[in-house]
Amino acid sequence: MLTGIYPGTFDPITRGHTDVIARSIRLVDRIIVAVALNPGKEPLFDLADRVELAKIATQDLAGVEVEPFEGLLVEYVKNRGAQAIIRGLRAVSDFEHEFQMALLNRKLDSNLETLFLMASEEYSYLTSSMVKEVASLGGPLHDFLHPEVAQRLTARLHAFRP
Ligand code: ADP
């Protein structure tokens, strides 16, 4: 049983993320979407909401599980019996940070590999931050988010600005 861990903040999960998940499930038997607490990024949605939204957005994909995660990624990967970390790459700008993290994780556990996948080019510009900005300006979200995630994002932003 090959397991891949796809870690991230997922604040909220976008169609770029789900595209990467759909591609990675063709390579392994099981993908665990590991939603990181990541307080340093000051997420808009709390951890439980980000997990719930990731579950909603991946509900039609077989072999995908979603879990919250906190702490050292290499320990989590080991505890889950996973073989690889999955990450997505958009533009060259992602590379430097992803490269450093992959090498650091491999230093911490020499058996651990990171697989990089590219989402479909239609999502290559898509980031959670950009989607939050579009949402805050009242723009259409359908191309970027699962409809239920879009609805929850709009509601969340309204809660801040009545
Ligand atoms: P993190 O805070 O760990 O970067 P994110 O939720 O922003 O968490 O991203 C998780 C992973 O998904 C990262 O590897 C990121 O590069 C990748 N990713 C996010 N959006 C896209 C996209 N549109 N296409 C490809 N990969 C993406």
Side-chain angles (χ1 to χ4, degrees):
M1 172 98 157
L2 286 174
T3 300
I5 303 282
Y6 182 33
T9 313
F10 304 103
D11 183 41
I13 190 164
T14 68
R15 292 194 191 277
H17 291 125
T18 47
D19 188 275
V20 168
I21 296 166
R23 286 170 198 281
S24 57
I25 198 63
R26 296 191 208 133
L27 305 176
V28 293
D29 303 297
R30 177 171 72 140
I31 290 290
I32 302 176
V33 178
V35 184
L37 182 63
N38 230 343
K41 275 206 166 180
E42 298 184 6
L44 174 67
F45 289 100
D46 68 21
L47 185 59
D49 284 343
R50 285 181 280 134
V51 167
E52 191 193 342
L53 295 176
K55 283 184 178 165
I56 290 168
T58 57
Q59 64 200 358
D60 295 334
L61 295 172
V64 178
E65 295 166 28
V66 181
E67 284 184 355
F69 125 85
E70 195 178 347
L72 199 59
L73 180 61
V74 294
E75 288 302 323
Y76 175 80
V77 172
K78 223 182 286 177
N79 290 340
R80 283 283 168 273
Q83 287 72 30
I85 294 171
I86 310 284
R87 294 285 286 180
L89 280 180
R90 282 161 295 206
V92 184
S93 50
D94 278 341
F95 179 79
E96 178 101 33
H97 175 66
E98 295 293 338
F99 178 73
Q100 282 177 352
M101 266 196 332
L103 291 185
L104 176 69
N105 285 328
R106 192 195 270 165
K107 179 83 186 159
L108 294 172
D109 181 349
S110 58
N111 290 318
L112 192 56
E113 296 297 342
T114 303
L115 298 180
F116 292 100
L117 298 179
M118 275 163 281
S120 164
E121 60 273 15
E122 65 185 297
Y123 303 126
S124 59
Y125 57 88
L126 194 55
T127 67
S128 297
S129 316
M130 196 204 78
V131 170
K132 283 181 276 191
E133 192 158 341
V134 172
S136 71
L137 298 169
L141 301 173
H142 176 266
D143 287 347
F144 313 136
L145 299 177
H146 182 286
E148 219 169 315
V149 177
Q151 207 175 36
R152 289 277 291 274
L153 175 57
T154 306
R156 184 89 181 100
L157 291 169
H158 278 138
F160 277 131
R161 274 189 257 145

